[in-house]
Amino acid sequence: MRLSERLRGLKRRLAARLRLRWWRWTLLLLVPLCLINVSVSVFGRCRVFPLSPFYLRYKLSALAAYAWHRPHCVFVDDAPMEPLLARAELRHRLPCGLLGAIVQVESGGRPHRISSAGAMGPMQLIPPTARALGVNDPFDPEESLDGAARYLAAHLATFHSVRLAAAAYNAGPGSIVGRAVPKNGQTEIYVERVLLALAIERRARCVPPPPRASAVEKGAPVVNTSSPTCPVQKIRFTKETGCRNDGSVEFCLPANDKKVRAAVKGIARKVENQGRQRCDPKTELLFSLPVDVESGSCVERRGGMTDRAWGQVCALARLPQIRSIRPTIHE
């Protein structure tokens, strides 16, 4: 009896120790995993499941690059995006607006963004691609834009097509087979977003403004200084007051028009409420367009919009599916 009791006691002690060790190992694995994903979500401003085990090496590399870059921003602000885009496109002979369109779809113009897959900066370069392009600081707009411009220029030289170059930027050049956009459920939507953003970028940055009529000429009509081609009747604010809100403007889109919704998602994000637009919950969806200093949409906080941001708003207002665009809070 004594031997059997000792054996049972030994089994219970071993089981208790194993259970304790199991919990310890679980915590040792889950706590760092959760810290990595939460850090990416907070600093990179993206949605990541806290216990996601995917792309951990890329996420750690992105966080390390962010930690190295961020202190520089305390002393020197990042350079404005618009002149950098124009210089990079001119230097690498890219079509005007293409690099800006990729920036809008990839990061929304936010230089410090980190994706759930560990892609970094305004051009969302993953660590291996950044190293291959010689980009030491993917969060530096000038360095990131120059590297991505070289990457896009190589794709254009290979495929001779903006559509295929955008597809190669998203899925890799090896995915382009038979000069067709890969049908993987993501790249074809990505390409449509880039093409819509490209049209908006071209109207905002590349198309020269129409000549104004001389005020000296007799009988000259009065010219609308806000832009003759912009449907301002749809816009419930002006270029000078567009940034006097909480960081966004909003509009409704038909819920059943998947093509337009998929394309607009590259610029604006869907919001799960009716908003000030009073979108019909049965037939419409509310979209929000970020308008803030960080994305390069505002000249200054609570001030006016940049030419590029105003061009985006005007291009959206030209879509027949959008009936009006208004600020989220202030008029």
Side-chain angles (χ1 to χ4, degrees):
M1 292 293 292
R2 291 182 179 177
L3 181 60
S4 62
E5 288 177 358
R6 288 180 181 178
L7 288 173
R8 283 196 296 270
L10 181 61
K11 288 181 179 178
R12 284 195 296 270
R13 286 194 295 272
L14 286 174
R17 287 183 181 180
L18 287 174
R19 284 197 297 270
L20 183 60
R21 289 180 181 176
W22 183 82
W23 278 106
R24 284 178 179 175
W25 280 109
T26 302
L27 289 175
L28 285 174
L29 290 173
L30 293 184
V31 169
L33 183 65
C34 188
L35 285 175
I36 292 171
N37 288 311
V38 170
S39 298
V40 169
S41 178
V42 172
F43 298 119
R45 298 187 179 182
C46 68
R47 295 180 181 179
V48 188
F49 180 60
L51 300 180
S52 172
F54 304 107
Y55 307 107
L56 291 180
R57 291 181 62 185
Y58 289 179
K59 292 173 185 176
L60 285 172
S61 297
L63 289 173
Y66 179 85
W68 185 85
H69 167 84
R70 197 56 172 161
H72 295 74
C73 300
V74 176
F75 305 101
V76 181
D77 291 334
D78 290 322
M81 196 81 68
E82 194 166 338
L84 296 178
L85 288 169
R87 284 202 296 268
E89 288 172 346
L90 185 63
R91 184 185 305 119
H92 299 287
R93 299 181 179 180
L94 293 175
C96 182
L98 178 59
L99 197 61
I102 298 288
V103 168
Q104 287 301 316
V105 174
E106 290 284 353
S107 65
R110 289 171 169 78
H112 299 142
R113 189 176 185 277
I114 304 174
S115 77
S116 58
M120 305 170 283
M123 298 305 298
Q124 290 293 278
L125 301 174
I126 59 175
T129 304
R131 286 192 295 268
L133 294 171
V135 177
N136 296 319
D137 185 2
F139 295 100
D140 177 31
E142 186 171 7
E143 196 171 349
S144 179
L145 290 174
D146 184 75
R150 284 186 276 114
Y151 194 44
L152 273 172
H155 293 331
L156 278 173
T158 301
F159 301 109
H160 306 286
S161 166
V162 170
R163 180 183 291 271
L164 294 180
Y169 189 92
N170 176 255
S175 64
I176 309 299
V177 179
R179 297 192 59 79
V181 175
K183 302 294 183 181
N184 55 20
Q186 177 187 358
T187 303
E188 61 268 33
I189 298 175
Y190 175 88
V191 170
E192 292 299 326
R193 292 178 183 175
V194 168
L195 293 178
L196 176 65
L198 177 58
I200 294 174
E201 282 286 318
R202 282 177 173 170
R203 292 191 185 103
R205 290 198 295 118
C206 308
V207 179
R212 296 184 178 182
S214 174
V216 182
E217 296 177 3
K218 293 183 179 181
V222 178
V223 178
N224 184 358
T225 58
S226 61
S227 173
T229 61
C230 186
V232 293
Q233 68 277 8
K234 286 187 175 184
I235 305 173
R236 302 295 185 261
F237 53 89
T238 65
K239 181 181 177 182
E240 291 73 24
T241 62
C243 292
R244 296 179 186 175
N245 51 59
D246 69 340
S248 63
V249 296
E250 60 187 32
F251 55 91
C252 302
L253 280 180
N256 58 356
D257 197 333
K258 295 182 179 180
K259 186 174 181 180
V260 173
R261 280 173 34 223
V264 168
K265 277 184 181 179
I267 304 168
R269 60 179 183 269
K270 187 163 70 76
V271 183
E272 299 297 334
N273 56 56
Q274 295 183 3
R276 299 189 66 204
Q277 290 283 42
R278 304 298 183 198
C279 299
D280 187 343
K282 296 181 179 179
T283 61
E284 293 181 319
L285 296 173
L286 179 67
F287 281 79
S288 175
L289 175 69
V291 178
D292 49 34
V293 175
E294 185 178 6
S295 64
S297 303
C298 302
V299 177
E300 59 182 9
R301 196 172 300 278
R302 302 289 182 183
M305 301 177 71
T306 62
D307 293 338
R308 177 166 163 266
W310 181 250
Q312 287 183 333
V313 172
C314 290
L316 288 170
R318 292 188 192 99
L319 294 175
Q321 295 88 347
I322 296 178
R323 61 175 185 272
S324 66
I325 305 175
R326 66 175 67 237
T328 303
I329 288 183
H330 301 288
E331 290 291 352

